Amino acid sequence: MTTFDTGLDLSSPDFKRNAYAIYNRLRREDPVFETILPDGRKAWMCTRYDDVLAALKDNERFTKNLQSLSPEEYDSVLPRKEMELLSNHMLSADPPDHTRLRAIVSRAFTPQLVDHMEPDIRRIADGLIDRIAEKGSMEAIADFAFPLPILVIGQMLGIPEEDHMLLKKWSSDFIAAANDRNKMKEAAPSFQAFGQYIQAMIAERRKSPRSDLTSLLIDAHDSGDRLSAAELSSTIWLLILAGHETTVNLIGNGIFALLENPDQMRLWQNDPSLTITAVEELLRYYSPVEIATARWAGRDFDWYGKNVNRGDVIFVNLASANRDPEHFGHPDRLDLSRKKNKHVAFGSGIHFCLGAPLARLEAQIALSALLQRLPNIRLEGTFDEIRWRPGILMRGLERLPVAF
Ligand code: HEM
């Protein structure tokens, strides 16, 4: 078995460009790849579908709760106050805390709430297309893929539109820091401002409740249990972040994949009944979350003959699993009518994406509307000019200029 160079920089633009070819080799030759992160920590990345699925379902060897694993490291990330306000959510919790938190939040963030958003999502998508339809061109990330999900989650939580740019800055500072711990200190003012913003929003809703998701979360309870103040603000922050940094990539990467595969785009344009399988295939093909959020080894163990130590960072590579030929026929081919498609773009196990129904609905509506209303959509410039954003966890484009 080959061992790959631990210096491979998973966040570099170069890596992002060649990642799928590298994953092909890693799956075959070095399925648990050892790497050293820019801040010096050791990390292990699994790339095979079966290992990815097993890791996502294994809450014993792998923990999400850094506070219980290593209180010193937890304390060194950010001042305690910000950590309290922002990291007490389900995605940083193991059972039984996770079970409790997810049950309470699921009482407020329900499939029915998502269904009710359908006409609003259509209105938002159409409004964005109205703004650019006459212009003949747009930058599809800034003009369409980014604003749509933030307008949707912003409306659900009751956040005024004029504050959306602030949220954008705070959450992209967070993602930069999650990719590289060295950036944590630089990002501290953004965390502080984000925490204060959410606190003020909660205080205001406590005084004057509305019918939005923020008020529903304040009220939500399960078996008599409610979210604590820290859990409430952390949950709202998680929903804002998830609403911001993921669906934008599904829509942006989706448009890009269609432009790369014009025959598939035409197939969908001519047969709108493909919408459901098309969005699933786009989730698989360029997975918006490339690597699941960090886990840590909860104990020492042997993995493919390698010694993983308690506290090592574990990267579970969803994008690679979604191109594993053991599970997908012709994995590098975009096939919008693919039937057998058990992709892991939304994760699996207890942390399976709570927002999946919302993300799916947003992408189905947004991409169908775009293809129907701008039938001649095409890339402006060349494919060589398109750049993936640097960073470990996400796969998304810097810019996507299109004409129509
Ligand atoms: C295309 C869009 C999206 C993708 C690809 C995506 C992907 C994921 C993935 C892979 C996870 C699991 C992470 C892990 O195990 O480390 C996750 C968890 C989560 N996602 Fe999403 N997500 C998307 C959109 C959303 C939206 C729109 C929301 C809500 C507004 C949301 C809310 C959540 C929450 C709350 C969790 C944590 C679940 C838990 O820990 O039990 N996501 N998502």
Side-chain angles (χ1 to χ4, degrees):
M1 214 168 254
T2 320
T3 293
F4 277 72
D5 175 11
T6 54
L8 197 66
D9 179 358
L10 303 178
S11 67
S12 69
D14 222 30
F15 178 82
K16 285 299 212 208
R17 194 169 45 250
N18 300 312
Y20 284 108
I22 299 171
Y23 297 156
N24 277 341
R25 288 194 58 200
L26 286 174
R27 277 193 310 272
R28 275 196 311 266
E29 299 172 25
D30 193 14
V32 173
F33 161 69
E34 177 184 347
T35 184
I36 305 297
L37 297 176
D39 54 28
R41 287 175 303 155
K42 192 197 275 184
W44 302 93
M45 180 170 83
C46 62
T47 47
R48 289 183 181 167
Y49 185 96
D50 290 338
D51 294 327
V52 162
L53 203 63
L56 292 171
K57 292 185 169 175
D58 187 337
N59 309 304
E60 186 260 327
R61 268 188 313 170
F62 306 114
T63 172
K64 297 282 305 156
N65 185 341
L66 183 60
Q67 190 172 17
S68 70
L69 180 76
S70 167
E72 320 76 58
E73 192 183 341
Y74 179 84
D75 278 341
S76 71
V77 179
L78 272 181
R80 214 169 235 267
K81 180 149 183 289
E82 275 72 52
M83 283 304 262
E84 280 285 319
L85 287 179
L86 302 176
S87 72
N88 269 298
H89 52 67
M90 65 184 95
L91 195 48
S92 302
D94 295 326
D97 283 345
H98 173 272
T99 321
R100 195 187 121 257
L101 287 170
R102 186 152 172 145
I104 302 175
V105 175
S106 303
R107 297 276 175 165
F109 192 81
T110 58
Q112 293 84 322
L113 190 76
V114 171
D115 284 349
H116 279 136
M117 285 301 293
E118 182 166 345
D120 293 291
I121 300 173
R122 281 191 199 289
R123 185 183 44 74
I124 289 169
D126 277 331
L128 290 169
I129 299 173
D130 289 344
R131 267 192 231 169
I132 46 88
E134 295 301 314
K135 293 192 185 155
S137 67
M138 69 168 162
E139 199 284 272
I141 305 299
D143 293 336
F144 190 67
F146 171 74
L148 187 134
I150 183 59
L151 285 165
V152 173
I153 194 67
Q155 178 175 325
M156 289 177 86
L157 287 164
I159 298 172
E161 214 177 309
E162 59 269 23
D163 293 346
H164 291 180
M165 288 317 277
L166 281 174
L167 302 183
K168 179 184 183 191
K169 175 174 170 20
W170 295 333
S171 66
S172 62
D173 284 355
F174 171 79
I175 293 291
N179 281 315
D180 178 358
R181 276 284 175 80
N182 293 325
K183 301 211 170 105
M184 274 291 173
K185 293 278 176 285
E186 270 170 54
S190 287
F191 289 102
Q192 225 162 16
F194 211 157
Q196 283 165 2
Y197 183 90
I198 295 171
Q199 290 290 93
M201 189 163 88
I202 294 170
E204 197 273 329
R205 291 303 191 288
R206 283 197 197 281
K207 259 200 293 176
S208 343
R210 300 189 201 166
S211 58
D212 56 29
L213 180 56
T214 305
S215 297
L216 291 175
L217 285 166
I218 293 173
D219 256 4
H221 50 88
D222 184 71
S223 313
D225 205 359
R226 282 170 193 278
L227 298 176
S228 69
E231 289 163 352
L232 185 59
S233 62
S234 302
T235 299
I236 292 174
W237 135 277
L238 175 63
L239 294 176
I240 294 174
L241 209 67
H244 246 91
E245 297 288 341
T246 52
T247 317
V248 47
N249 295 340
L250 174 55
I251 298 172
N253 300 352
I255 301 171
F256 181 57
L258 294 169
L259 295 170
E260 284 183 313
N261 295 273
D263 56 320
Q264 291 293 304
M265 177 148 82
R266 268 189 296 281
L267 197 72
W268 189 1
Q269 278 172 324
N270 293 331
D271 182 2
S273 76
L274 281 180
T275 298
I276 307 254
T277 55
V279 167
E280 296 311 300
E281 176 68 345
L282 294 171
L283 278 157
R284 183 195 72 83
Y285 190 75
Y286 282 138
S287 303
V289 177
E290 181 131 352
I291 294 180
T293 56
R295 282 153 173 75
W296 290 272
R299 58 169 168 82
D300 297 351
F301 64 94
D302 176 286
W303 213 5
Y304 286 100
K306 300 189 181 184
N307 298 319
V308 178
N309 294 120
R310 182 180 145 87
D312 287 351
V313 176
I314 308 292
F315 286 143
V316 178
N317 196 313
L318 308 175
S320 170
N322 284 337
R323 298 279 189 109
D324 188 333
E326 296 289 320
H327 287 266
F328 302 96
H330 301 291
D332 296 325
R333 185 187 292 167
L334 183 78
D335 172 5
L336 297 186
S337 33
R338 190 181 286 273
K339 297 276 175 312
K340 203 167 161 263
N341 188 357
K342 289 194 157 193
H343 68 73
V344 286
F346 288 121
S348 188
I350 61 168
H351 294 286
F352 180 83
C353 178
L354 189 68
L358 178 62
R360 285 182 160 125
L361 188 63
E362 288 180 64
Q364 288 160 5
I365 293 175
L367 292 170
S368 311
L370 204 69
L371 294 185
Q372 294 306 321
R373 293 196 50 197
L374 309 175
N376 296 319
I377 188 164
R378 59 198 180 275
L379 188 69
E380 207 171 47
T382 65
F383 284 101
D384 283 353
E385 290 161 358
I386 302 299
R387 300 271 175 276
W388 296 104
R389 283 204 328 257
I392 297 181
L393 299 186
M394 300 289 166
R395 172 164 291 272
L397 294 169
E398 301 263 15
R399 303 178 70 253
L400 183 59
V402 295
F404 36 83

